[in-house]
PDB file of all heavy atoms in Angstrom:
ATOM      1  N   VAL A  38      60.542  87.021  85.197  1.00 97.00           N
ATOM      2  CA  VAL A  38      59.745  87.976  86.009  1.00 97.00           C
ATOM      3  C   VAL A  38      58.340  87.797  85.514  1.00 97.00           C
ATOM      4  O   VAL A  38      58.060  87.658  84.342  1.00 97.00           O
ATOM      5  CB  VAL A  38      60.269  89.419  85.784  1.00 97.00           C
ATOM      6  CG1 VAL A  38      59.366  90.404  86.442  1.00 97.00           C
ATOM      7  CG2 VAL A  38      61.678  89.530  86.265  1.00 97.00           C
ATOM      8  N   ARG A  39      57.407  87.857  86.492  1.00 96.00           N
ATOM      9  CA  ARG A  39      56.001  87.682  86.194  1.00 96.00           C
ATOM     10  C   ARG A  39      55.122  88.488  87.084  1.00 96.00           C
ATOM     11  O   ARG A  39      55.624  89.210  88.002  1.00 96.00           O
ATOM     12  CB  ARG A  39      55.599  86.183  86.299  1.00 96.00           C
ATOM     13  CG  ARG A  39      55.869  85.597  87.704  1.00 96.00           C
ATOM     14  CD  ARG A  39      55.610  84.107  87.745  1.00 96.00           C
ATOM     15  NE  ARG A  39      55.918  83.529  89.044  1.00 96.00           N
ATOM     16  CZ  ARG A  39      55.052  83.496  90.057  1.00 96.00           C
ATOM     17  NH1 ARG A  39      53.849  83.959  89.958  1.00 96.00           N
ATOM     18  NH2 ARG A  39      55.437  82.953  91.222  1.00 96.00           N
ATOM     19  N   THR A  40      53.849  88.503  86.787  1.00 96.00           N
ATOM     20  CA  THR A  40      52.897  89.211  87.629  1.00 96.00           C
ATOM     21  C   THR A  40      52.083  88.294  88.435  1.00 96.00           C
ATOM     22  O   THR A  40      51.838  87.140  87.997  1.00 96.00           O
ATOM     23  CB  THR A  40      52.027  90.176  86.821  1.00 96.00           C
ATOM     24  OG1 THR A  40      51.344  89.420  85.776  1.00 96.00           O
ATOM     25  CG2 THR A  40      52.856  91.225  86.117  1.00 96.00           C
ATOM     26  N   LEU A  41      51.558  88.725  89.596  1.00 96.00           N
ATOM     27  CA  LEU A  41      50.727  87.973  90.472  1.00 96.00           C
ATOM     28  C   LEU A  41      49.573  88.828  90.915  1.00 96.00           C
ATOM     29  O   LEU A  41      49.767  89.892  91.533  1.00 96.00           O
ATOM     30  CB  LEU A  41      51.574  87.553  91.655  1.00 96.00           C
ATOM     31  CG  LEU A  41      50.871  86.724  92.736  1.00 96.00           C
ATOM     32  CD1 LEU A  41      50.447  85.381  92.222  1.00 96.00           C
ATOM     33  CD2 LEU A  41      51.778  86.561  93.956  1.00 96.00           C
ATOM     34  N   THR A  42      48.349  88.412  90.577  1.00 94.00           N
ATOM     35  CA  THR A  42      47.203  89.148  90.909  1.00 94.00           C
ATOM     36  C   THR A  42      46.779  88.930  92.342  1.00 94.00           C
ATOM     37  O   THR A  42      46.708  87.781  92.791  1.00 94.00           O
ATOM     38  CB  THR A  42      45.994  88.906  89.987  1.00 94.00           C
ATOM     39  OG1 THR A  42      46.412  89.118  88.628  1.00 94.00           O
ATOM     40  CG2 THR A  42      44.813  89.657  90.260  1.00 94.00           C
ATOM     41  N   ALA A  43      46.513  89.983  93.065  1.00 94.00           N
ATOM     42  CA  ALA A  43      46.049  89.893  94.479  1.00 94.00           C
ATOM     43  C   ALA A  43      44.914  90.912  94.657  1.00 94.00           C
ATOM     44  O   ALA A  43      45.153  92.017  95.032  1.00 94.00           O
ATOM     45  CB  ALA A  43      47.168  90.194  95.420  1.00 94.00           C
ATOM     46  N   GLY A  44      43.701  90.506  94.275  1.00 93.00           N
ATOM     47  CA  GLY A  44      42.568  91.456  94.330  1.00 93.00           C
ATOM     48  C   GLY A  44      42.791  92.628  93.338  1.00 93.00           C
ATOM     49  O   GLY A  44      43.135  92.299  92.152  1.00 93.00           O
ATOM     50  N   PRO A  45      42.649  93.847  93.744  1.00 95.00           N
ATOM     51  CA  PRO A  45      42.875  94.964  92.835  1.00 95.00           C
ATOM     52  C   PRO A  45      44.324  95.304  92.636  1.00 95.00           C
ATOM     53  O   PRO A  45      44.637  96.182  91.809  1.00 95.00           O
ATOM     54  CB  PRO A  45      42.191  96.116  93.606  1.00 95.00           C
ATOM     55  CG  PRO A  45      42.299  95.792  95.031  1.00 95.00           C
ATOM     56  CD  PRO A  45      42.220  94.258  95.117  1.00 95.00           C
ATOM     57  N   LEU A  46      45.228  94.541  93.252  1.00 96.00           N
ATOM     58  CA  LEU A  46      46.668  94.792  93.139  1.00 96.00           C
ATOM     59  C   LEU A  46      47.308  93.782  92.221  1.00 96.00           C
ATOM     60  O   LEU A  46      46.847  92.642  92.089  1.00 96.00           O
ATOM     61  CB  LEU A  46      47.295  94.742  94.524  1.00 96.00           C
ATOM     62  CG  LEU A  46      46.787  95.711  95.623  1.00 96.00           C
ATOM     63  CD1 LEU A  46      47.350  95.366  96.963  1.00 96.00           C
ATOM     64  CD2 LEU A  46      47.079  97.092  95.224  1.00 96.00           C
ATOM     65  N   THR A  47      48.450  94.208  91.647  1.00 96.00           N
ATOM     66  CA  THR A  47      49.270  93.238  90.840  1.00 96.00           C
ATOM     67  C   THR A  47      50.685  93.360  91.365  1.00 96.00           C
ATOM     68  O   THR A  47      51.270  94.427  91.384  1.00 96.00           O
ATOM     69  CB  THR A  47      49.263  93.640  89.369  1.00 96.00           C
ATOM     70  OG1 THR A  47      47.876  93.582  88.866  1.00 96.00           O
ATOM     71  CG2 THR A  47      50.095  92.653  88.541  1.00 96.00           C
ATOM     72  N   ALA A  48      51.220  92.230  91.847  1.00 96.00           N
ATOM     73  CA  ALA A  48      52.606  92.187  92.325  1.00 96.00           C
ATOM     74  C   ALA A  48      53.503  91.738  91.186  1.00 96.00           C
ATOM     75  O   ALA A  48      53.152  90.928  90.357  1.00 96.00           O
ATOM     76  CB  ALA A  48      52.711  91.203  93.477  1.00 96.00           C
ATOM     77  N   VAL A  49      54.646  92.310  91.042  1.00 97.00           N
ATOM     78  CA  VAL A  49      55.686  91.906  90.199  1.00 97.00           C
ATOM     79  C   VAL A  49      56.646  91.045  90.974  1.00 97.00           C
ATOM     80  O   VAL A  49      57.299  91.444  91.906  1.00 97.00           O
ATOM     81  CB  VAL A  49      56.401  93.137  89.603  1.00 97.00           C
ATOM     82  CG1 VAL A  49      57.496  92.673  88.604  1.00 97.00           C
ATOM     83  CG2 VAL A  49      55.432  94.133  88.943  1.00 97.00           C
ATOM     84  N   VAL A  50      56.790  89.740  90.529  1.00 97.00           N
ATOM     85  CA  VAL A  50      57.452  88.728  91.306  1.00 97.00           C
ATOM     86  C   VAL A  50      58.357  87.880  90.445  1.00 97.00           C
ATOM     87  O   VAL A  50      58.352  88.006  89.185  1.00 97.00           O
ATOM     88  CB  VAL A  50      56.417  87.820  92.057  1.00 97.00           C
ATOM     89  CG1 VAL A  50      55.531  88.641  92.980  1.00 97.00           C
ATOM     90  CG2 VAL A  50      55.594  87.004  91.076  1.00 97.00           C
ATOM     91  N   GLN A  51      59.096  87.055  91.106  1.00 97.00           N
ATOM     92  CA  GLN A  51      59.967  86.081  90.367  1.00 97.00           C
ATOM     93  C   GLN A  51      60.161  84.875  91.339  1.00 97.00           C
ATOM     94  O   GLN A  51      60.338  85.042  92.498  1.00 97.00           O
ATOM     95  CB  GLN A  51      61.299  86.731  89.990  1.00 97.00           C
ATOM     96  CG  GLN A  51      62.247  85.826  89.204  1.00 97.00           C
ATOM     97  CD  GLN A  51      63.512  86.581  88.777  1.00 97.00           C
ATOM     98  OE1 GLN A  51      64.002  87.443  89.518  1.00 97.00           O
ATOM     99  NE2 GLN A  51      64.029  86.246  87.625  1.00 97.00           N
ATOM    100  N   ASP A  52      60.191  83.709  90.744  1.00 96.00           N
ATOM    101  CA  ASP A  52      60.518  82.546  91.514  1.00 96.00           C
ATOM    102  C   ASP A  52      62.015  82.461  91.682  1.00 96.00           C
ATOM    103  O   ASP A  52      62.765  82.656  90.696  1.00 96.00           O
ATOM    104  CB  ASP A  52      60.078  81.223  90.793  1.00 96.00           C
ATOM    105  CG  ASP A  52      58.549  81.166  90.703  1.00 96.00           C
ATOM    106  OD1 ASP A  52      57.861  81.685  91.551  1.00 96.00           O
ATOM    107  OD2 ASP A  52      58.013  80.537  89.697  1.00 96.00           O
ATOM    108  N   VAL A  53      62.472  82.278  92.940  1.00 95.00           N
ATOM    109  CA  VAL A  53      63.909  82.142  93.238  1.00 95.00           C
ATOM    110  C   VAL A  53      64.125  80.840  94.028  1.00 95.00           C
ATOM    111  O   VAL A  53      63.254  80.409  94.751  1.00 95.00           O
ATOM    112  CB  VAL A  53      64.389  83.358  94.043  1.00 95.00           C
ATOM    113  CG1 VAL A  53      64.303  84.592  93.241  1.00 95.00           C
ATOM    114  CG2 VAL A  53      63.649  83.452  95.387  1.00 95.00           C
ATOM    115  N   PRO A  54      65.280  80.230  93.863  1.00 94.00           N
ATOM    116  CA  PRO A  54      65.520  78.937  94.551  1.00 94.00           C
ATOM    117  C   PRO A  54      65.618  79.168  96.040  1.00 94.00           C
ATOM    118  O   PRO A  54      66.321  80.072  96.532  1.00 94.00           O
ATOM    119  CB  PRO A  54      66.858  78.486  93.960  1.00 94.00           C
ATOM    120  CG  PRO A  54      67.491  79.725  93.438  1.00 94.00           C
ATOM    121  CD  PRO A  54      66.410  80.604  92.968  1.00 94.00           C
ATOM    122  N   ALA A  55      64.912  78.313  96.771  1.00 93.00           N
ATOM    123  CA  ALA A  55      64.876  78.440  98.259  1.00 93.00           C
ATOM    124  C   ALA A  55      66.295  78.198  98.801  1.00 93.00           C
ATOM    125  O   ALA A  55      66.651  78.848  99.829  1.00 93.00           O
ATOM    126  CB  ALA A  55      63.920  77.421  98.851  1.00 93.00           C
ATOM    127  N   ALA A  56      67.077  77.354  98.191  1.00 91.00           N
ATOM    128  CA  ALA A  56      68.469  77.131  98.653  1.00 91.00           C
ATOM    129  C   ALA A  56      69.319  78.361  98.626  1.00 91.00           C
ATOM    130  O   ALA A  56      70.210  78.490  99.405  1.00 91.00           O
ATOM    131  CB  ALA A  56      69.108  75.970  97.877  1.00 91.00           C
ATOM    132  N   GLY A  57      69.053  79.203  97.634  1.00 90.00           N
ATOM    133  CA  GLY A  57      69.902  80.406  97.508  1.00 90.00           C
ATOM    134  C   GLY A  57      69.344  81.638  98.175  1.00 90.00           C
ATOM    135  O   GLY A  57      70.025  82.672  98.308  1.00 90.00           O
ATOM    136  N   PHE A  58      68.024  81.623  98.579  1.00 91.00           N
ATOM    137  CA  PHE A  58      67.389  82.776  99.109  1.00 91.00           C
ATOM    138  C   PHE A  58      66.681  82.509 100.451  1.00 91.00           C
ATOM    139  O   PHE A  58      65.896  83.354 100.933  1.00 91.00           O
ATOM    140  CB  PHE A  58      66.373  83.327  98.103  1.00 91.00           C
ATOM    141  CG  PHE A  58      67.010  84.048  96.947  1.00 91.00           C
ATOM    142  CD1 PHE A  58      67.506  83.281  95.861  1.00 91.00           C
ATOM    143  CD2 PHE A  58      67.218  85.408  96.969  1.00 91.00           C
ATOM    144  CE1 PHE A  58      68.072  83.989  94.754  1.00 91.00           C
ATOM    145  CE2 PHE A  58      67.853  86.048  95.887  1.00 91.00           C
ATOM    146  CZ  PHE A  58      68.259  85.320  94.807  1.00 91.00           C
ATOM    147  N   GLY A  59      66.988  81.409 101.086  1.00 88.00           N
ATOM    148  CA  GLY A  59      66.485  81.175 102.423  1.00 88.00           C
ATOM    149  C   GLY A  59      67.143  82.110 103.388  1.00 88.00           C
ATOM    150  O   GLY A  59      68.126  82.844 102.991  1.00 88.00           O
ATOM    151  N   GLU A  60      66.728  82.160 104.612  1.00 88.00           N
ATOM    152  CA  GLU A  60      67.238  83.207 105.588  1.00 88.00           C
ATOM    153  C   GLU A  60      68.747  83.202 105.696  1.00 88.00           C
ATOM    154  O   GLU A  60      69.410  84.260 105.595  1.00 88.00           O
ATOM    155  CB  GLU A  60      66.535  83.055 106.862  1.00 88.00           C
ATOM    156  CG  GLU A  60      65.063  83.480 106.902  1.00 88.00           C
ATOM    157  CD  GLU A  60      64.494  83.658 108.225  1.00 88.00           C
ATOM    158  OE1 GLU A  60      65.113  84.369 109.063  1.00 88.00           O
ATOM    159  OE2 GLU A  60      63.465  83.111 108.549  1.00 88.00           O
ATOM    160  N   GLU A  61      69.385  82.015 105.947  1.00 90.00           N
ATOM    161  CA  GLU A  61      70.803  81.969 106.083  1.00 90.00           C
ATOM    162  C   GLU A  61      71.493  82.300 104.803  1.00 90.00           C
ATOM    163  O   GLU A  61      72.483  83.039 104.811  1.00 90.00           O
ATOM    164  CB  GLU A  61      71.220  80.560 106.623  1.00 90.00           C
ATOM    165  CG  GLU A  61      70.826  80.327 108.083  1.00 90.00           C
ATOM    166  CD  GLU A  61      71.471  81.329 108.991  1.00 90.00           C
ATOM    167  OE1 GLU A  61      72.680  81.702 108.757  1.00 90.00           O
ATOM    168  OE2 GLU A  61      70.892  81.806 110.011  1.00 90.00           O
ATOM    169  N   ALA A  62      70.983  81.696 103.676  1.00 89.00           N
ATOM    170  CA  ALA A  62      71.664  81.942 102.424  1.00 89.00           C
ATOM    171  C   ALA A  62      71.553  83.448 102.031  1.00 89.00           C
ATOM    172  O   ALA A  62      72.481  84.027 101.472  1.00 89.00           O
ATOM    173  CB  ALA A  62      71.041  81.073 101.343  1.00 89.00           C
ATOM    174  N   LEU A  63      70.427  84.047 102.282  1.00 89.00           N
ATOM    175  CA  LEU A  63      70.187  85.423 101.938  1.00 89.00           C
ATOM    176  C   LEU A  63      71.118  86.331 102.858  1.00 89.00           C
ATOM    177  O   LEU A  63      71.677  87.287 102.351  1.00 89.00           O
ATOM    178  CB  LEU A  63      68.693  85.818 102.204  1.00 89.00           C
ATOM    179  CG  LEU A  63      68.270  87.164 101.782  1.00 89.00           C
ATOM    180  CD1 LEU A  63      68.474  87.315 100.246  1.00 89.00           C
ATOM    181  CD2 LEU A  63      66.902  87.510 102.180  1.00 89.00           C
ATOM    182  N   ARG A  64      71.248  85.976 104.097  1.00 90.00           N
ATOM    183  CA  ARG A  64      72.148  86.764 104.906  1.00 90.00           C
ATOM    184  C   ARG A  64      73.569  86.739 104.415  1.00 90.00           C
ATOM    185  O   ARG A  64      74.230  87.787 104.348  1.00 90.00           O
ATOM    186  CB  ARG A  64      72.126  86.175 106.395  1.00 90.00           C
ATOM    187  CG  ARG A  64      72.817  87.118 107.405  1.00 90.00           C
ATOM    188  CD  ARG A  64      72.581  86.587 108.800  1.00 90.00           C
ATOM    189  NE  ARG A  64      71.203  86.713 109.204  1.00 90.00           N
ATOM    190  CZ  ARG A  64      70.364  85.666 109.383  1.00 90.00           C
ATOM    191  NH1 ARG A  64      70.828  84.396 109.189  1.00 90.00           N
ATOM    192  NH2 ARG A  64      69.112  85.829 109.779  1.00 90.00           N
TER     193      ARG A  64
END
Side-chain angles (χ1 to χ4, degrees):
V38 174
R39 58 187 175 87
T40 57
L41 176 68
T42 301
L46 303 170
T47 300
V49 181
V50 303
Q51 184 176 35
D52 294 330
V53 296
F58 286 84
E60 291 196 48
E61 287 299 323
L63 185 65
R64 189 174 295 110

